[in-house]
């Protein structure tokens, strides 16, 4: 299981901050880019070559033989499986697929449904809703339509049909995921998994299996601060909201991170009015400040949205006895009551909390930190004494490193690389993140303030380059010129430190930058790469070309 | 570039980062084509990508030139702006004497003709030092921080955030010392009216057309339930708190409506957008701030135009009025005596509107049923005071300023009050009780030469009187003579559930007597 579309307040980098907030209810949505959560799927379709299948079959025969002679000692000498993954979300799924590729005999334990949060209660259904909201927005924007020469009358929607689209998409992706696992020969074991001891796992009521290596990938659940009563009808989390059982006239969204922002996009497109409640002093605190300023201008101000910043939702009572949802706000600093809101519904989007209860971690002397399983940079679980627990790994939201679906998957692959004998450390800074509003927002690497801090500490200079979507032919053809791409880089080396994009299809555009960062490509090299014209990718082309790298000056290259 | 031949400041702004203006090569060329056909002929356009590459290198220098050239001041007002040189006589005439400089809308790209102020980084009174960002400007290509060329104080912002200004026009004033800020502020006021493009959507456009003192219009609309429904929202603390939806708040801010005077019709008495729209139509506020009043030029014949929010609300109220059974009674009144009185007391500031309102109020005092209103169809209210609402057209919208207790207030006070109301209406400062408390409405189209018309009854009131022009008429008298008299026709529309024909007839008879013998109007 893995993460969802939103930010988390809960990042290892910000432990102390989080602790100071846990006693309160209106959590900041995202103090750090490392706590962003997104969702992505990896190879969920059945297009893998038959080759993998054969390899795994052969492998299975071999391992089964070993397993049959295995005793029940602790730790066992031979194992039922090479790798057991607890949790079949996107993280577990990514790890399982890669394990098969590496020839490992693999099982995956799932106590709920395959696909975890992302597929069932997160990124996947939310993308279905956002696809609807994007089209609604276009159709409702008469000015935009008129500028294109189009005439459309009265756009409307059927709520149930929209909700069905989301649930159909989720079940389709879930089936694809399940099929890909079974087709590759991964055993799907049903029941909640827990750790009995070293290399020993229990699932369901009393099934015990042994594995050479174990990955915990149990993911997260929506975080609901205390004082907030969730009834699933008028006070809801993303789990409920994605079912779109109602479209309230007025909904308060607690937390202006990714979950909140995406839902505001959906709700306002469907006719709701939205009030944001944000604990920090500005909206969208997880973004680069310049991007969040622009996002406010594009995604908040022109819409039917207002907001209260610097306040906690101290108490939220669901609608009952003919009374509306009542939200008591207190000042984030003074804790003085500021205002009482009465709305039709409230969505709690204050981030996500790790789902690690009942995992049997006490059996191996591991203590969670606010629910998160402590790990090192190779996802190896650390026990209460600070020692590594052999053969035990934790990936995804459960370790809290970077609460994004694709990060969980990448961590899983990294672990599989290690257990199959190849050291691997994942560079989290090159993992992109995206928010699927209209227009989209995406980012990779450091924000400007983070880069400045790093530059100060390590004594180097940074430079900023920016390009606008207004100058891009394709964007103008679509009449979607609103947008900005921003590059933060080292002028002395050409190293990319961060890229932030707000604009049409920003989520798809970010990968040129994130791949460059992952592969260590420098600006002076990538600026010569050719981009098809006219495409949105030219926004990044321009961005790289406008950067001024002094490499030739400072380090002359001998010819 | 910095000093023009008049010795005044010209350019205070430079572009902080040219890299921002970089555009995709072809994007740029395509942009330039319509304006600068010489750069690339259409036949060559197919070669655009290739040419773009070739042109790429010269782009920066071209840009710089364009930026330079755009700095030539174009606004005539800045040339007039020579400072009094009396205080500081100088031998060299070309020396910069202006200590108050104008900050201009810079040209941030070659195709830019106007720019939108995204945000002011500094506020009025802030100290600026050379090179500091002052304002963020959105051009047709990008948003850019714009910085100052001079040290000083940001004395006055002339184009607010969200406003648009032509390239080269002044958007703010920069004072060299703190003492000059006040001077600059007054200067900004002088100049703001001369700015053509600076009308910010958030701030009211300068009113240039004067509202005639008395331009009532035929139909007046106001919320039917202004006083009938009390806010029952539990969170509103019996009216102490305002509960309004996000969009209602946004709309109220945009339309300059005070929410405390708006009655909510949403769930539990919450104010929703619709209520704000109704309030707009009802009163104070004004035409759509984002759209100029629709006048004949620029109307595209055959086009289908969706209602503005105000028109939508008017439409709803008009349809609602169909639920009231109305009838009309007309009367011809001789106005010679009234005209004579008006001529006599006009120098004392008395207006015709006040005279008519006063006469109507005195007549209503004798016929309280005509001043009553029926809201639920089961009962009616004898209103305790006589408040004459007068419909006034302003900027394409309708306002009904109310002369309260018009029967009791003397004519001079009433005239002063009317002036005050009109001024307030013009400044969009009418309070809800000043436009929503009318008990009887007057509507006059006489100044257009209309001799008679009838008005639609505003829901929630009992009667409205349509007043035509007073015109010289040949009149036969009972003693067989023929003479010339000035006469006007009035026509009252009333709610027949509470006001019957005889009531109106008697009311009109009384009104005619008062107007034909107007000594009572002045006490």
């Amino acid at each position: 299981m893995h993460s969802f579309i939103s930010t988390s307040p809960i990042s290892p980098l910000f432990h102390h901050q989080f602790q100071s907030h846990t006693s309160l209810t209106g959590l900041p949505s995202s103090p750090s880019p490392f706590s962003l959560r997104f969702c992505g799927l990896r190879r969920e379709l059945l297009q893998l070559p038959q080759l993998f299948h054969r390899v795994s079959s052969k492998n299975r025969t071999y391992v089964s033989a070993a397993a049959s002679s295995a005793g029940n000692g602790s730790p066992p000498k031979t194992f039922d499986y090479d790798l057991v993954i607890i949790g079949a979300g996107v993280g577990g799924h990514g790890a399982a697929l890669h394990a098969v590729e590496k020839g490992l005999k693999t099982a995956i334990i799932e106590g709920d449904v395959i696909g975890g949060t992302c597929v069932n209660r997160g990124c996947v259904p939310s993308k279905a809703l956002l696809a609807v909201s994007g089209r609604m927005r276009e159709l409702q924007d008469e000015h935009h339509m008129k500028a294109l020469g189009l005439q459309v009358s009265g756009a409307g929607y059927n709520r149930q049909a929209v909700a069905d689209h989301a649930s159909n998409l989720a079940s389709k992706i879930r089936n694809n995921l399940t099929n890909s696992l079974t087709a590759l020969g991964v055993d799907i074991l049903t029941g909640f998994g827990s750790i009995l001891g070293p290399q020993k796992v229990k699932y369901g009521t009393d099934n015990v299996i042994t594995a050479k290596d174990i990955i915990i990938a149990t993911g997260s659940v929506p975080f609901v601060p205390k004082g907030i009563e969730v009834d699933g009808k008028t006070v809801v989390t993303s789990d409920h909201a994605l079912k779109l059982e109602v479209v309230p006239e007025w909904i308060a969204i607690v937390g202006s991170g990714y979950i909140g922002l995406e839902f505001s996009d959906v709700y306002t497109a469907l006719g709701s009015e939205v009030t944001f409640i944000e604990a920090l002093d500005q909206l969208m605190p997880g973004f680069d400040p310049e991007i969040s300023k622009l996002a406010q201008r594009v995604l908040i101000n022109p819409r039917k949205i207002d907001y209260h910043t610097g306040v906690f939702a101290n108490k939220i009572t669901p609608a009952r006895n003919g009374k509306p949802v009542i939200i008591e706000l207190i000042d984030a600093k003074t804790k003085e009551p500021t205002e009482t809101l009465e709305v039709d519904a409230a969505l709690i989007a204050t981030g996500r909390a790790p789902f690690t209860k009942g995992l049997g971690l006490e059996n191996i002397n591991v203590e969670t930190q606010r629910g998160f399983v402590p790990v090192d940079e190779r996802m190896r679980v650390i026990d209460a004494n600070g020692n590594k627990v052999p053969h035990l790994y934790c990936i995804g939201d459960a370790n809290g490193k970077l609460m994004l679906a694709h990060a969980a998957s990448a961590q899983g692959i990294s672990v599989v690389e290690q257990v199959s004998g190849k050291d691997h450390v994942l560079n989290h800074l090159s993992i992109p993140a995206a928010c699927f509003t209209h227009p989209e927002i995406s980012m990779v690497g450091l924000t400007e303030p983070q880069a400045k801090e790093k530059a100060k500490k390590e004594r180097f200079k940074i430079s900023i380059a920016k390009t606008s979507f207004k100058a891009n032919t394709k964007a103008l053809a679509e009449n979607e010129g609103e947008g900005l791409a921003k590059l933060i880089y080292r002028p002395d080396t050409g190293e990319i430190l961060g890229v932030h994009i707000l604009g049409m299809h920003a989520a798809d555009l970010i990968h040129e930058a994130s791949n460059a960062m992952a592969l260590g490509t420098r600006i002076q090299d990538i600026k010569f790469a050719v981009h098809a014209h006219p495409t949105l990718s030219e926004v990044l082309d321009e961005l790289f070309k406008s950067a001024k790298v002094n490499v030739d000056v400072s380090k002359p290259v001998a010819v | 570039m910095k000093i023009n031949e008049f010795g005044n400041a010209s350019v205070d702004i430079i572009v902080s980062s040219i890299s921002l203006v970089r555009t995709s090569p072809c994007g740029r060329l395509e942009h330039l084509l319509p304006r600068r056909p010489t750069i690339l002929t259409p036949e060559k356009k197919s070669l655009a990508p290739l040419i773009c590459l070739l042109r790429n290198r010269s782009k920066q220098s071209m840009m710089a030139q364009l930026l330079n050239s755009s700095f030539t001041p174009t606004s005539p007002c800045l040339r007039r702006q020579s400072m009094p040189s009396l205080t500081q006589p100088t031998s060299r005439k070309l020396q910069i004497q202006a200590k108050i400089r104008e900050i201009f809308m810079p040209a941030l790209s070659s195709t830019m003709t106007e720019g939108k102020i995204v945000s002011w980084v500094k506020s009025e009174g802030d100290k600026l030092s050379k090179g500091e960002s002052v304002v963020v400007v959105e051009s047709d290509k990008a948003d850019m921080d714009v910085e100052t060329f001079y040290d000083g104080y940001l004395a006055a912002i002339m184009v607010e955030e969200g406003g648009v200004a032509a390239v080269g026009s002044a958007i703010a004033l920069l004072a060299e010392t703190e003492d000059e800020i006040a001077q600059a502020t007054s200067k900004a006021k002088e100049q703001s009216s001369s700015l053509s493009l600076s009308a910010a959507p958030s701030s009211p456009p300068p009113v240039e057309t004067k509202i005639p003192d008395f331009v009532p219009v035929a139909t007046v609309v106001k919320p039917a339930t202004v006083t009938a429904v009390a806010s029952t929202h539990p969170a509103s603390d019996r009216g102490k708190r305002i509960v309004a939806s996000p969009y209602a708040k946004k709309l109220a801010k945009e339309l300059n409506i005070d929410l405390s005077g708006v009655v909510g019709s949403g769930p539990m008495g919450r104010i929703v957008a619709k209520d704000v729209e109704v309030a707009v139509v009802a009163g104070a506020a004004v035409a759509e701030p984002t759209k100029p009043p629709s006048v004949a030029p620029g109307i595209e014949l055959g086009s289908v135009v969706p209602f503005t929010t105000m028109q939508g609300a008017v439409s709803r109220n008009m349809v609602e009025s169909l639920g009231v059974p109305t009838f009309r009674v007309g009367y011809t009144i001789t106005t010679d005596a009234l005209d004579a009185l008006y001529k006599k007391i006009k120098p004392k500031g008395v207006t015709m509107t006040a005279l008519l309102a006063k006469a109507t109020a005195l007549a209503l005092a004798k016929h309280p049923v005509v001043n009553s209103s029926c809201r639920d169809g089961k009962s009616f209210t004898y209103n305790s005071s006589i408040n004459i609402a007068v419909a006034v057209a302003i900027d394409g919208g309708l306002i009904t300023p109310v002369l309260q207790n018009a029967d009791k207030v003397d004519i001079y006070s009433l005239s002063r009050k009317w002036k005050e109301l009109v001024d307030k209406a013009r400044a969009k400062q009418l309070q809800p009780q000043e436009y929503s408390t009318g008990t009887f409405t007057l509507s006059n189209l006489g100044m257009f030469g209309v001799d008679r018309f009838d008005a639609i009854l505003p829901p929630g009131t009992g009667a409205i009187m349509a007043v035509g022009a007073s015109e010289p008429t040949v009149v036969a008298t009972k003693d067989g003579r023929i003479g010339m008299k000035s006469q006007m026709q009035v026509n009252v529309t009333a709610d027949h559930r509470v006001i019957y024909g005889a009531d109106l007839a008697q009311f009109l008879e009384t009104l005619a007597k008062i107007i034909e013998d107007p000594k009572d109007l002045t006490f």
Side-chain angles (χ1 to χ4, degrees):
Chain A
M1 290 180 257
H2 49 278
S3 77
F4 179 54
I5 43 175
S6 165
T7 57
S8 156
I10 311 157
S11 131
L13 275 183
F14 286 80
H15 285 174
H16 57 290
Q17 289 191 3
F18 176 75
Q19 277 165 333
S20 67
H21 284 138
T22 36
S23 57
L24 305 158
T25 48
L27 277 167
S29 318
S30 170
S32 134
F34 298 102
S35 57
L36 306 176
R37 304 159 190 238
F38 295 86
C39 183
L41 287 179
R42 178 178 165 271
R43 283 182 305 177
E44 61 205 19
L45 299 174
L46 288 169
Q47 296 161 342
L48 295 172
Q50 279 298 311
L51 178 72
F52 291 153
H53 196 223
R54 255 182 275 127
V55 169
S56 78
S57 316
K58 248 190 263 167
N59 193 47
R60 186 191 301 171
T61 323
Y62 157 72
V63 180
S64 317
S68 62
S69 61
N72 212 10
S74 180
K77 293 281 184 299
T78 54
F79 304 99
D80 298 332
Y81 291 97
D82 294 327
L83 180 65
V84 163
I85 302 160
I86 306 176
V90 168
H93 178 259
L97 258 54
H98 195 64
V100 170
E101 195 181 321
K102 288 286 171 187
L104 304 180
K105 190 191 179 201
T106 308
I108 196 160
I109 299 173
E110 178 55 61
D112 189 20
V113 282
I114 300 288
T117 298
C118 167
V119 173
N120 300 293
R121 298 175 299 275
C123 359
V124 170
S126 70
K127 292 303 98 49
L129 297 182
L130 283 158
V132 173
S133 80
R135 281 175 174 77
M136 277 299 282
R137 258 178 215 300
E138 267 182 51
L139 293 173
Q140 287 168 342
D141 188 346
E142 274 172 46
H143 178 72
H144 186 257
M145 283 289 162
K146 219 173 165 183
L148 293 173
L150 293 176
Q151 271 186 342
V152 178
S153 60
Y157 68 93
N158 175 324
R159 184 200 54 77
Q160 190 56 51
V162 176
D164 290 347
H165 172 52
S167 66
N168 291 344
L169 178 71
S171 65
K172 184 173 185 177
I173 303 296
R174 183 166 62 239
N175 289 340
N176 286 347
L177 233 63
T178 313
N179 292 343
S180 67
L181 289 171
T182 47
L184 289 174
V186 176
D187 288 347
I188 299 175
L189 311 173
T190 307
F192 282 94
S194 62
I195 292 159
L196 283 184
Q199 295 169 299
K200 200 185 283 178
V201 175
K202 183 183 96 169
Y203 71 93
T205 40
D206 50 3
N207 309 303
V208 177
I209 49 170
T210 58
K212 183 168 168 290
D213 292 289
I214 299 167
I215 297 180
I216 298 169
T218 46
S220 63
V221 292
F223 171 75
V224 179
K226 69 173 184 184
I228 297 180
E229 188 185 329
V230 172
D231 71 346
K233 296 266 185 283
T234 57
V235 180
V236 298
T237 65
S238 55
D239 287 2
H240 314 103
L242 286 166
K243 293 181 190 153
L244 202 72
E245 283 171 351
V246 285
V247 178
E249 271 181 49
W250 183 3
I251 184 165
I253 299 182
V254 186
S256 65
Y258 292 78
I259 299 180
L261 210 53
E262 289 190 355
F263 272 106
S264 79
D265 194 278
V266 171
Y267 279 120
T268 52
L270 298 184
S272 303
E273 295 178 31
V274 169
T275 296
F276 270 120
I277 297 166
E278 172 57 55
L280 296 187
D281 286 335
Q282 66 164 61
L283 291 175
M284 301 166 278
F287 297 96
D288 182 87
E290 197 165 353
I291 294 288
S292 62
K293 225 166 94 185
L294 182 60
Q296 174 144 350
R297 260 177 53 209
V298 176
L299 300 172
I300 307 283
N301 294 347
R303 299 184 179 174
K304 295 177 182 178
I305 300 175
D306 69 351
Y307 48 85
H308 301 264
T309 53
V311 292
F312 290 125
N314 193 39
K315 186 163 186 260
I316 300 185
T317 322
R320 60 167 82 98
N321 306 329
K323 283 191 176 163
V325 175
I326 297 173
I327 302 175
E328 288 172 23
L329 299 181
I330 58 167
D331 189 283
K333 292 190 187 77
T334 65
K335 309 289 179 277
E336 295 290 319
T338 56
E339 206 169 332
T340 302
L341 302 181
E342 295 179 16
V343 293
D344 300 320
L347 169 68
I348 313 306
T350 43
R352 298 185 60 87
F355 180 62
T356 52
K357 270 190 187 150
L359 255 179
L361 292 173
E362 62 283 357
N363 299 335
I364 43 168
N365 191 31
V366 170
E367 281 174 12
T368 58
Q369 293 170 2
R370 299 162 346 277
F372 290 108
V373 177
V375 294
D376 68 0
E377 77 281 2
R378 288 178 172 78
M379 310 303 140
R380 294 178 292 205
V381 174
I382 309 291
D383 71 12
N385 304 324
N387 301 319
K388 288 190 273 286
V389 180
H391 304 292
L392 183 65
Y393 302 82
C394 177
I395 62 168
D397 288 6
N399 71 28
K401 268 186 180 298
L402 181 54
M403 298 176 81
L404 300 169
H406 48 272
S409 189
Q411 289 171 356
I413 290 164
S414 172
V415 168
V416 170
E417 284 289 305
Q418 292 169 52
V419 302
S420 45
K422 191 177 161 210
D423 190 29
H424 188 271
V425 179
L426 181 64
N427 176 11
H428 283 84
L429 271 179
S430 69
I431 296 180
C435 179
F436 295 85
T437 43
H438 298 91
E440 296 172 343
I441 307 171
S442 61
M443 63 180 68
V444 63
L446 304 175
T447 62
E448 188 177 334
Q450 288 168 337
K452 273 188 179 149
E453 197 177 316
K454 186 177 174 178
K456 203 174 158 193
K457 212 180 283 169
E458 298 176 18
R459 292 167 182 280
F460 61 83
K461 270 192 174 168
I462 62 162
S463 289
I464 311 279
K466 285 178 251 181
T467 52
S468 166
F469 279 63
K470 282 195 185 93
N472 181 277
T473 310
K474 185 73 185 306
L476 289 175
E478 301 278 352
N479 216 354
E480 301 273 2
E482 197 85 64
L484 172 79
K486 176 176 178 179
L487 167 69
I488 304 158
Y489 64 101
R490 280 185 70 157
D492 56 341
T493 62
E495 185 190 349
I496 302 171
L497 300 171
V499 173
H500 304 265
I501 311 174
L502 184 151
M504 190 187 197
H505 296 313
D508 295 310
L509 292 177
I510 195 69
H511 296 97
E512 179 167 14
S514 64
N515 287 352
M517 288 177 76
L519 303 175
T521 313
R522 301 288 161 116
I523 293 166
Q524 58 270 34
D525 299 321
I526 201 170
K527 71 194 281 187
F528 289 108
V530 179
H531 298 70
H533 175 74
T535 59
L536 292 173
S537 70
E538 288 171 293
V539 170
L540 286 192
D541 188 26
E542 282 294 318
L543 189 63
F544 294 133
K545 285 193 164 78
S546 65
K548 298 196 175 37
V549 180
N550 305 324
V551 168
D552 294 340
V553 183
S554 60
K555 294 178 194 165
V557 179
V559 183
Chain B
M1 174 168 143
K2 293 179 203 167
I3 308 164
N4 66 23
E5 67 274 33
F6 295 88
N8 292 319
S10 60
V11 179
D12 299 326
I13 292 231
I14 56 166
V15 179
S16 62
S17 164
I18 284 185
S19 71
L20 286 184
V21 209
R22 280 187 62 117
T23 64
S24 115
C26 291
R28 161 154 304 274
L29 279 174
E30 284 158 19
H31 249 72
L32 286 173
L33 275 171
R35 277 170 198 285
R36 298 175 174 256
T38 48
I39 291 185
L40 200 61
T41 56
E43 311 86 74
K44 289 180 190 163
K45 198 178 173 186
S46 58
L47 297 172
L50 185 64
I51 294 168
C52 292
L53 285 176
L54 297 173
R55 290 190 52 83
N56 214 4
R57 187 173 299 180
S58 62
K59 206 160 59 183
Q60 293 285 2
S61 57
M62 179 182 88
M63 184 67 62
Q65 282 166 9
L66 288 167
L67 286 167
N68 285 347
S69 64
S70 69
F71 284 164
T72 311
T74 53
S75 158
C77 61
L78 57 99
R79 299 193 177 163
R80 280 192 260 111
Q81 177 227 335
S82 56
M83 291 294 299
S85 51
L86 301 167
T87 49
Q88 217 181 359
T90 169
S91 53
R92 288 193 303 151
K93 279 189 176 175
L94 288 183
Q95 185 186 343
I96 297 185
Q97 293 163 3
K99 287 190 177 170
I100 298 168
R101 306 171 194 275
E102 289 182 329
I103 298 180
F104 302 117
M105 174 60 72
L108 302 177
S109 75
S110 57
T111 53
M112 178 173 167
T113 55
E114 59 179 49
K116 184 174 167 189
I117 308 290
V118 172
S119 60
W120 282 98
V121 180
K122 302 283 177 181
S123 21
E124 287 183 2
D126 282 2
K127 193 172 184 330
L128 306 176
S129 44
K130 194 177 159 183
E132 255 185 312
S133 287
V134 180
V135 60
V136 182
V137 169
E138 178 186 315
S139 73
D140 52 345
K141 298 240 163 52
D143 293 353
M144 267 164 274
D145 282 359
V146 176
E147 57 197 45
T148 171
F149 244 22
Y150 298 97
D151 295 340
Y153 294 86
L154 185 57
I157 288 173
M158 295 161 73
V159 181
E160 294 295 327
E161 287 182 10
V164 176
V167 168
S169 66
I171 54 175
L173 294 180
L174 184 77
E176 199 164 276
T177 64
E178 249 175 304
D179 307 335
E180 284 156 342
I181 292 179
Q183 199 184 342
T185 315
S186 59
K187 185 192 206 99
K189 278 183 192 144
E190 274 168 40
Q191 292 187 358
S192 59
S193 56
S194 67
L195 288 171
S196 54
L197 268 157
S198 66
S202 55
S203 65
V207 179
E208 284 175 11
T209 47
K210 287 206 168 176
I211 307 161
D213 187 27
F214 190 51
V215 188
V217 287
T219 52
V220 184
V221 190
K222 62 187 213 171
T225 53
V226 165
T227 47
V229 177
S231 173
T232 54
H233 201 288
S236 62
D237 267 355
R238 287 183 201 84
K240 272 185 230 154
R241 261 162 35 74
I242 297 164
V243 180
S245 82
Y247 186 45
K249 280 187 217 154
K250 216 163 248 197
L251 211 55
K253 202 176 161 198
E254 237 170 62
L255 300 174
N256 206 8
I257 294 267
D258 179 6
L259 281 176
S260 63
V262 178
V263 174
S265 69
M268 282 166 253
R270 172 197 302 164
I271 297 169
V272 294
K274 196 183 73 188
D275 303 324
V276 177
E277 288 169 6
V278 169
V280 170
V281 176
V286 214
E288 295 272 58
T290 46
K291 290 182 187 171
S294 55
V295 275
I299 289 178
E300 200 183 321
L301 297 179
S303 59
V304 176
V305 183
F307 276 160
T308 60
T309 50
M310 180 185 287
Q311 287 166 332
V314 168
S315 166
R316 276 196 297 279
N317 276 273
M318 289 299 91
V319 171
E320 192 186 332
S321 74
L322 293 178
V324 179
T326 54
F327 74 114
R328 292 154 185 87
V329 176
Y331 209 101
T332 301
I333 301 173
T334 302
T335 58
D336 289 321
L338 186 71
D339 293 341
L341 175 69
Y342 176 54
K343 209 172 166 184
K344 205 171 97 189
I345 58 177
K346 194 181 173 188
K348 296 180 185 170
V350 173
T351 65
M352 188 50 108
T353 301
L355 279 172
L356 279 172
K358 181 77 186 170
T360 308
L362 290 178
L364 284 171
K366 292 182 181 162
H367 304 277
V369 71
V370 183
N371 194 44
S372 70
S373 52
C374 170
R375 292 193 175 89
D376 55 5
K378 292 174 194 147
S379 63
F380 66 102
T381 313
Y382 286 111
N383 288 308
S384 52
S385 48
I386 295 173
N387 299 336
I388 306 293
V390 185
V392 172
I394 174 172
D395 276 358
L398 293 173
I399 308 182
T400 57
V402 174
L403 288 166
Q404 290 179 337
N405 297 313
D407 56 327
K408 299 198 178 78
V409 179
D410 71 82
I411 186 67
Y412 305 102
S413 307
L414 209 58
S415 298
R416 280 196 298 277
K417 182 74 188 170
W418 179 245
K419 279 219 170 67
E420 181 195 323
L421 287 171
V422 169
D423 287 346
K424 273 186 166 179
R426 216 175 272 167
K428 296 157 195 173
Q429 285 168 346
L430 280 184
Q431 296 302 305
Q433 74 273 9
E434 289 173 325
Y435 61 81
S436 64
T437 52
T439 56
F440 184 96
T441 311
L442 271 185
S443 180
N444 186 350
L445 291 179
M447 69 289 298
F448 299 112
V450 169
D451 64 342
R452 60 182 178 272
F453 69 105
D454 66 44
I456 293 181
L457 182 66
T461 62
I464 179 171
M465 184 162 78
V467 181
S470 172
E471 289 175 330
T473 315
V474 179
V475 180
T477 56
K478 277 173 187 163
D479 56 4
R481 295 197 213 171
I482 294 175
M484 190 75 93
K485 286 182 176 176
S486 284
Q487 292 191 324
M488 71 173 181
Q489 298 188 46
V490 298
N491 190 7
V492 182
T493 303
D495 180 349
H496 207 301
R497 291 174 300 180
V498 290
I499 303 166
Y500 302 160
D503 300 327
L504 273 195
Q506 287 162 10
F507 161 74
L508 285 168
E509 194 184 11
T510 306
L511 178 67
K513 271 185 190 152
I514 292 171
I515 289 178
E516 286 166 9
D517 182 11
K519 60 180 187 317
D520 288 348
L521 294 181
T522 50
F523 286 359

